[in-house]
Structure formats: C-alpha cells, structure tokens
Amino acid sequence: MTVTRPLTLLAAALLVLAGCASSPEPPESSAAESSILATYDLAGLDGRAIVNRLDRMPVADRRTTLRASVRPGQLLLSEVGSDHQTAVDLPDDLFYLAVAPYLENTHDCYFHSLTTCRGELAGKDVHVTITERGTGNVLVDTTTTTFDNGFVGFWLPSGIDATITVAYADYLASSDISTGPDDPTCLTTLRLVRTT
C-alpha cells in the first residue's frame, strides 16, 4: 500500500506536467465555486460558456494558477496550490471533445485541460468531419481554425459512436470516437499522414 500511493501521486504529477491534468477529488461548496468563478472573471457563465471561453483564450492571456478539466457532464475547476475544487455542470445531452491533430509532436491526454493542454498546430486551418457510425448522420462538416492552444473543440450529442476525420493541407487523419460517460474529452492521437 505504501508503494502504490507514491506511484499514484507520481502518475498524477506526470499528467499535470504533460499538460492534461485530472483530479478525482469531490467538488467543494457553492461558496468555493463562486469564489473561483469570480477570481477568474467567469461568474455568471454556465459551464458551456466557460469551456468555450477558456479553450479559445489566447495562451498568453491564460492565468497559470487556474486548472480547468473537462469531464463528461462536468467542468472541474481548481487553483494551483489550493485543495479547493469545484464542479460546474455541463449539459447532460452534450459532450465536449477537444481535438489536437498533429504532425510530429503530441502528448497523452484523457480529460482535456482548458488551461494547460497544448497541441502542435496552433492557428491552422483544418477541415473536420464527424459522422455518427451506424446512422451515417453527419454531425460536423466544417473548415475551422485551431485555437491558440492547438486544439479545436466540438459539442457533440452524448452517448454516440462516431468517426472523426481531420484534413490539413495535404495531410489526413481519422479515428473512431465515443461520447459516453466514461469516454475521453481529449483527442491527441490524430497523427496527420500525407495523402499526396
């Protein structure tokens, strides 16, 4: 037991250093929630608006003391150096998937960190298609620009299986995804391969 705990702590520390943190602690009270939201100018915003604001924020404008981890159904907020953590609900019928296609460099990620995750391709135009498997329903078919953190995010229906395809210049990547309660909110395994 004494060996397992240090290894668990080391693994958690490595996740933070890799850029995508996870934290299993329960949320704090509404007073702590109000405090952290006010401190980071997020008061009055719902969970979806907070996710959209933080993921699209220029990297240079991000406060290094804030941690924000997107989970299915919840956004967990905490401050570096504090034991306080709060959860903000996300819509039950929606799932936020953050995608960072890459050519050479990536990082391991499961729950997307809105404040620390960095992808390789910042500010690049990509074409993204997301198609529901089984029905063939096209959920996303758009050309968009990756955020300053190298990610692009999509609000998808919860509880589906789909295929995502990303095209960038002469490169292409594709992967199966799912949006269930235990699925990752961070996709960093889309390695772009030259098609010509």
Side-chain angles (χ1 to χ4, degrees), residues 69-88:
S69 177
V70 181
R71 311 296 176 93
Q74 282 189 326
L75 171 63
L76 299 183
L77 300 165
S78 62
E79 288 188 283
V80 173
S82 171
D83 292 334
H84 296 293
Q85 178 174 274
T86 189
V88 178

Side-chain angles (χ1 to χ4, degrees), residues 95-161:
F95 183 100
Y96 188 74
L97 180 66
V99 181
Y102 75 101
L103 294 169
E104 298 295 332
N105 300 304
T106 191
H107 63 278
D108 290 333
C109 185
Y110 200 85
F111 295 124
H112 182 53
S113 171
L114 297 167
T115 52
T116 60
C117 277
R118 300 287 183 272
E120 180 185 51
L121 301 176
K124 304 297 183 184
D125 290 336
V126 294
H127 187 88
V128 179
T129 305
I130 301 176
T131 305
E132 190 172 2
R133 293 197 309 272
T135 67
N137 184 26
V138 177
L139 304 171
V140 175
D141 186 0
T142 188
T143 297
T144 187
T145 303
T146 56
F147 309 142
D148 196 38
N149 64 0
F151 280 81
V152 61
F154 299 97
W155 290 98
L156 302 172
S158 295
I160 64 161
D161 297 315

Side-chain angles (χ1 to χ4, degrees), residues 4-5 12 14 16 25 39 58 63 66-67 83 88 90 102 114 154 192:
T4 304
R5 183 179 171 112
L14 289 174
V16 171
E25 293 87 18
T39 298
R63 305 265 298 272
L66 177 65
R67 295 293 177 260
D83 292 334
V88 178
L90 297 177
Y102 75 101
L114 297 167
F154 299 97
L192 293 154

Side-chain angles (χ1 to χ4, degrees), residues 5-64:
R5 183 179 171 112
L7 289 176
T8 301
L9 293 174
L10 176 60
L14 289 174
L15 278 175
V16 171
L17 291 174
C20 292
S22 62
S23 182
E25 293 87 18
E28 294 293 326
S29 69
S30 59
E33 177 179 329
S34 296
S35 174
I36 197 166
L37 294 178
T39 298
Y40 295 97
D41 196 29
L42 302 170
L45 299 178
D46 64 14
R48 187 173 177 179
I50 294 171
V51 169
N52 290 340
R53 177 182 288 185
L54 293 178
D55 220 12
R56 288 160 176 77
M57 183 178 288
V59 170
D61 294 343
R62 296 178 186 212
R63 305 265 298 272
T64 59

